[in-house]
Amino acid sequence: MTTSPNTVRALREALKFSPDNVPLRQHLAEVLLSMEQYTEAEQEYRQALMFKPGDTILKLGLATVFFQQGKYSPSLVVIEDLLKSADCPAGAYLLHARLLLNAGAIQQAVSQYRYATAIDESIADKDFADRLGISNEVLREQDEVNEIVDGKIRVSIGADTQIPNGNIESPQISFRDVGGMDTVKDEIRLKIIYPLKQPELYRAYGKTIGGGILLYGPPGCGKTYLARATAGEINSSFIAVGINDILDMWLGNSERNLHSIFENARASKPSVLFFDEVDALAANRTDMRQSSSRMVINQFLSELDGVKTSNEGVLILAATNAPWHLDPAFRRPSRFSRILFIPPPDARARVEILLLLCSGKPVSAIDYELISKKTEHFSGADLKAVVDIAVERKLQEAIKIGIPKPLTTKDLLSVASSIKPSTKEWFQSARNYALYANEGGLYDDILKYLKM
Ligand SMILES: Nc1ncnc2c1ncn2[C@@H]1O[C@H](COP(=O)(O)OP(=O)(O)OP(=O)(O)O)[C@@H](O)[C@H]1O
Ligand SMILES: [Mg+2]
């Protein structure tokens, strides 16, 4: 494409005589875009769209122009609209990936980028892949035949393709190692541990067995830790599943991965199957207007329902920082029927956590109550950082003077005062969801915590 001001002038001249010539206007818009004249390009795209409002290429052009000007929100609106259309161009997925990355949703950006390049290899962008941290993923071996049939990618899998099982662990921690959270522990016992141990009793009372528990709350407050402790509590295996274990750029593979993880959990029962950051996997189907993720969600739902094979003996737990992004279909009974808020530890729980963290370490008489008082809003992870840093300082001191000295209240307080609690930021956004998207009082616990 020759991109000189002369070209632009000539195109504008021609358009004067046939203003409704959409291909011509589109060409002008593209020229302007390539010359980085974004405002003018935007104008031409808008004009062209007035004549041909449904045109996907024009919409993608407009979204691109918005993006280039840093108008991310309108760009996202256009892209989301575009993703709904049957003939959505691959470039739209790529731009969506850029927008997602921009918004900090890295995993989703990765999956959108993979999808884009799976539809159209030629739009692969090495720099962008670098930023996503997936530039080393070279395209698969030649011996795999991938073809696009009816808009779907058909994959023939090489013999050495690994099917993930999730990583099976046997956790050494139990509920005793988790400070506070008494009500949550009780819920877990009542809802999933007892039914596992005494299924007849539950049936006799006409209670249905099954369904998982979703834990949500600010980061670092023990969701993952508690899930692991649940497995330790009943001496079962623990299978932690992250989004990377499941999502795969090849159409159909993600569903297969998910199925094989559930099958593995059923085969090693009793087991705790734990989905960490489940919102990335089970994001609202209307948010993710992309058919492939819808298929993963549907697969997930039917695995949870135990449609083909029973989930008896498999305790299902999931955790998220953003429950509001979860597809509401997951909240039905037999799926994640209990949604439990895991708040930052209260004063008593902080004492318990500090005691747990300091046990086995050389300490002098420590005033745990006082430290607890000075660490309001601290998460369990924050408290762990306080203890870790204090221990490290002590160690350095000991190396210097050659005599080990016990940890003191003062040591811990001095570290605590230098650390900012990490939970506050989460509450800033959670508060809005609790106020304005609190269907059925789902987030009442957040409001209660905030004393609102
Ligand atoms: N109640 C608790 N009792 C004991 N230790 C805790 C508790 N809460 C948090 N911790 C400590 O903090 C660490 C981080 O907690 P964890 O990873 O479970 O948080 P999380 O809620 O899963 O966070 P994220 O949302 O970021 O995944 C744990 O490994 C544990 O050492
Ligand atoms: Mg976690």
Side-chain angles (χ1 to χ4, degrees):
M1 198 189 288
T2 40
T3 53
S4 71
N6 285 339
T7 315
V8 174
R9 212 170 303 128
L11 286 168
R12 285 200 195 283
E13 213 42 48
L15 274 168
K16 261 191 208 157
F17 295 100
S18 50
D20 54 352
N21 185 334
V22 174
L24 196 60
R25 196 173 293 278
Q26 178 179 338
H27 184 55
L28 171 61
E30 283 164 1
V31 169
L32 290 166
L33 178 61
S34 74
M35 294 168 73
E36 302 183 6
Q37 303 201 0
Y38 301 126
T39 352
E40 285 162 51
E42 180 185 328
Q43 244 171 20
E44 298 308 326
Y45 276 120
R46 281 178 188 276
Q47 282 271 330
L49 275 163
M50 280 201 260
F51 290 107
K52 247 180 133 185
D55 192 292
T56 54
I57 302 296
L58 290 175
K59 283 188 192 171
L60 178 56
L62 183 64
T64 308
V65 162
F66 280 144
F67 181 81
Q68 294 294 356
Q69 297 174 94
K71 298 178 182 171
Y72 299 127
S73 218
S75 181
L76 189 63
V77 170
V78 178
I79 281 294
E80 286 189 337
D81 177 51
L82 200 46
L83 295 179
K84 277 188 282 188
S85 54
D87 55 344
C88 174
Y93 293 101
L94 180 61
L95 184 54
H96 193 211
R98 292 188 201 281
L99 286 160
L100 287 166
L101 180 65
N102 212 47
I106 297 171
Q107 292 301 349
Q108 290 178 32
V110 167
S111 86
Q112 256 340 27
Y113 177 72
R114 286 183 175 147
Y115 191 75
T117 49
I119 305 173
D120 181 359
E121 245 177 69
S122 72
I123 61 170
D125 176 339
K126 191 175 168 308
D127 288 343
F128 184 59
D130 265 343
R131 287 180 58 207
L132 289 172
I134 54 171
S135 52
N136 297 332
E137 285 178 10
V138 193
L139 280 175
R140 299 199 181 189
E141 306 300 313
Q142 291 300 318
D143 61 358
E144 286 179 21
V145 190
N146 305 306
E147 40 180 345
I148 297 190
V149 183
D150 296 338
K152 292 188 178 138
I153 304 153
R154 256 221 322 247
V155 182
S156 78
I157 297 148
D160 58 344
T161 306
Q162 287 250 329
I163 297 181
N165 296 319
N167 301 320
I168 301 194
E169 294 171 43
S170 309
Q172 299 305 312
I173 54 167
S174 67
F175 281 172
R176 259 183 299 137
D177 301 288
V178 182
M181 297 204 209
D182 293 337
T183 32
V184 180
K185 288 176 189 166
D186 280 346
E187 277 276 347
I188 292 180
R189 284 195 191 96
L190 206 66
K191 188 75 203 328
I192 58 177
I193 294 185
Y194 296 156
L196 175 84
K197 296 209 159 156
Q198 290 156 308
E200 305 76 25
L201 195 65
Y202 271 68
R203 275 193 210 103
Y205 283 94
K207 282 292 228 184
T208 44
I209 300 175
I213 293 182
L214 173 69
L215 310 170
Y216 78 93
C221 291
K223 297 182 292 298
T224 304
Y225 198 61
L226 180 66
R228 192 168 270 121
T230 303
E233 186 72 11
I234 53 169
N235 274 321
S236 75
S237 41
F238 180 71
I239 304 174
V241 185
I243 185 159
N244 289 330
D245 299 320
I246 292 175
L247 289 191
D248 187 300
M249 68 188 282
W250 305 101
L251 216 61
N253 273 9
S254 303
E255 290 92 295
R256 204 177 45 124
N257 291 346
L258 199 49
H259 178 65
S260 95
I261 283 166
F262 268 91
E263 283 293 282
N264 194 35
R266 290 169 191 135
S268 32
K269 67 185 180 186
S271 55
V272 171
L273 184 54
F274 175 60
F275 292 90
D276 215 350
E277 284 157 45
V278 72
D279 52 295
L281 200 63
N284 196 317
R285 279 175 290 187
T286 47
D287 279 355
M288 279 253 177
R289 282 169 186 129
Q290 179 199 336
S291 60
S292 68
S293 44
R294 217 171 305 140
M295 273 147 52
V296 176
I297 288 180
N298 290 340
Q299 177 77 28
F300 198 176
L301 292 172
S302 77
E303 294 292 346
L304 286 172
D305 291 342
V307 177
K308 293 212 179 94
T309 0
S310 149
N311 286 335
E312 210 167 303
V314 181
L315 309 190
I316 298 168
L317 288 173
T320 177
N321 300 130
W324 26 84
H325 289 154
L326 205 69
D327 196 290
F330 282 91
R331 294 203 284 266
R332 287 206 207 114
S334 92
R335 292 171 184 166
F336 294 108
S337 41
R338 285 281 201 289
I339 302 197
L340 303 179
F341 178 47
I342 309 287
D346 61 16
R348 193 179 61 82
R350 290 198 296 277
V351 170
E352 280 183 40
I353 295 172
L354 286 163
L355 272 164
L356 285 165
L357 289 169
C358 290
S359 85
K361 301 197 164 76
V363 292
S364 63
I366 284 184
D367 187 348
Y368 290 104
E369 302 281 342
L370 179 63
I371 301 166
S372 164
K373 225 183 257 167
K374 300 275 183 193
T375 49
E376 221 195 327
H377 307 301
F378 276 52
S379 69
D382 293 338
L383 293 174
K384 187 170 186 304
V386 170
V387 175
D388 286 347
I389 294 170
V391 165
E392 209 156 285
R393 284 189 192 164
K394 267 290 166 270
L395 197 65
Q396 278 169 0
E397 229 176 274
I399 291 169
K400 234 184 259 164
I401 56 175
I403 317 162
K405 277 191 170 173
L407 209 57
T408 65
T409 306
K410 209 173 131 215
D411 295 330
L412 291 166
L413 284 178
S414 114
V415 178
S417 65
S418 68
I419 287 184
K420 272 214 196 92
S422 65
T423 61
K424 282 193 168 164
E425 202 182 312
W426 185 85
F427 278 104
Q428 276 168 7
S429 68
R431 182 179 169 276
N432 289 326
Y433 286 99
L435 281 175
Y436 309 117
N438 191 14
E439 297 151 54
L442 201 57
Y443 306 126
D444 281 353
D445 285 340
I446 296 178
L447 296 176
K448 213 154 82 190
Y449 180 85
L450 292 171
K451 302 199 176 78
M452 295 179 76

